[in-house]
Amino acid sequence: MNHKFYNNLGLAMRARKLATGDEIVLKAVRSGEAKLVIMAEDASDNTKKKFQDKCSTYNVPLLITSTRGELGASIGKEARVLIAVLDTGFAKMLKQPVITAEVKGID
């Protein structure tokens, strides 16, 4: 992932629009509060299957990205495997692919 993604994730944390931890994220998915679930790519196979199934059942988008250390650092916490985004605006912002353009000098 890129710096913009991590910066936006940190912004969502400061706005108190994130939930972290297995049980809290699962509760947010079941209650419909979660608009997006972000999972670390180094999560255990059991966790991956559990949350892929739950997110599919409850129609919550699931984004698998980076490592638990990178996710935790981006929100100012220790390593985090699961993060639920509780705000629609932040979820849209975090799901968007980042387009980078090469800037060329003028001859």
Side-chain angles (χ1 to χ4, degrees), residues 25-86:
V25 171
L26 187 58
K27 183 179 176 184
V29 169
R30 287 180 176 156
S31 70
E33 281 184 277
K35 308 302 181 208
L36 172 68
V37 173
I38 302 169
M39 183 186 319
E41 62 191 10
D42 58 353
S44 70
D45 291 338
N46 188 29
T47 300
K48 284 182 181 177
K49 179 168 180 5
K50 177 180 179 179
F51 280 89
Q52 285 172 341
D53 291 347
K54 287 294 177 190
C55 287
S56 175
T57 300
Y58 289 93
N59 294 319
V60 176
L62 175 67
L63 178 62
I64 300 175
T65 184
S66 58
T67 64
R68 59 183 73 204
E70 291 170 330
L71 285 179
S74 70
I75 62 170
K77 303 284 184 185
E78 294 178 6
R80 293 292 192 253
V81 175
L82 289 163
I83 299 174
V85 181
L86 307 176

